[in-house]
Amino acid sequence: MSTPTLAVWKFTSCDGCQLTLLDCEDELLALAGRIRIAHFLEASSAVEPGPYDVSLVEGSVTTPKERHRIVEIRRQSRRLVAIGACATHGGIQALRNFADITEFTSVVYADPQYISTLATSTAISEHVPVDFELRGCPIDRRQLLDTLTALLAGREPDIPNTSVCTECKRRGTTCIMVADGIPCLGPVTQAGCGALCPAYHRGCYGCFGPMAKPNVRALLPILRVNGMTPGEIDRVFTTFAAAEPDFAERDHDEPPE
């Protein structure tokens, strides 16, 4: 039986999710004994041609070149896993979707006529079929390892579809909104991080994106009661998953500041 091959690809992103893989250290060494890393430019310049058994894709699609490149990667990959908020929701750079990209490039670049970019930042799944998504900014180390080992074992990864609140309950973390009045997006955000922020007495800020069918409208008055202004609510919902309809197109029933 041939050794499974792993490829890791970067699109428009900060490299943070790739660094999460490198930060696995001892676990990555054990994993390397069971797979062959065929393409991972963050770790090595050695590149093997496809096809690949598993491809991890970090980053969103923001250029014409990336739009064509993801199609070729999908063609060469038996399983494709989008990793991180950029790959699953378009990321922070999806704020461009609500603005004029021509104005942005004219301000940022001295010679914008040489910049080739799209007007939008979009998730990988908007361009090709994606087998699994690992959310977060960055992704959760434990969830990444669980997914890779599951794929190597020939079983489906166990990726949660509940809210961060369920993870608070499992680890015995007292609800910070109820006990301390700290605004938190945990009730509408998908689980997978292990409720990291609430465990350190900080409100969830939605980097895993919306859970399935989130009741965002019900959360808005609770956030206001706990001290968030309409402007702050807008910012927290349009950061990591700005292009996600469940967050971006919520009812704007907040009173004016």
Side-chain angles (χ1 to χ4, degrees), residues 9 38 61 71 80 82 90 119 127 172 175 202 209:
W9 309 90
V61 175
V71 173
L80 190 146
H127 301 271
C175 178
R202 174 178 178 174

Side-chain angles (χ1 to χ4, degrees), residues 67-129:
R67 189 167 54 190
H68 294 293
R69 182 167 161 250
I70 190 58
V71 173
E72 178 60 20
I73 290 172
R74 173 71 268 191
R75 188 186 66 80
Q76 296 185 65
S77 306
R78 188 171 67 86
R79 294 293 188 102
L80 190 146
V81 183
I83 60 171
C86 296
T88 61
H89 294 102
I92 293 174
Q93 59 266 29
L95 289 169
R96 70 164 68 184
N97 299 8
F98 310 99
D100 182 355
I101 192 64
T102 303
E103 180 183 0
F104 279 175
T105 55
S106 69
V107 171
V108 174
Y109 300 99
D111 295 297
Q113 66 271 23
Y114 298 114
I115 303 301
S116 177
T117 189
L118 299 173
T120 57
S121 172
T122 47
I124 299 300
S125 61
E126 293 197 26
H127 301 271
V128 297

Side-chain angles (χ1 to χ4, degrees), residues 224 229-231 252-257:
R224 293 199 298 269
T229 66
H252 284 72
D253 64 344
E254 300 97 337
E257 292 188 82

Side-chain angles (χ1 to χ4, degrees), residues 166-180:
T166 62
E167 296 189 303
C168 278
K169 300 297 185 295
R170 290 192 188 101
R171 66 183 297 166
T173 300
T174 301
C175 178
I176 57 175
M177 278 207 296
V178 173
D180 303 299

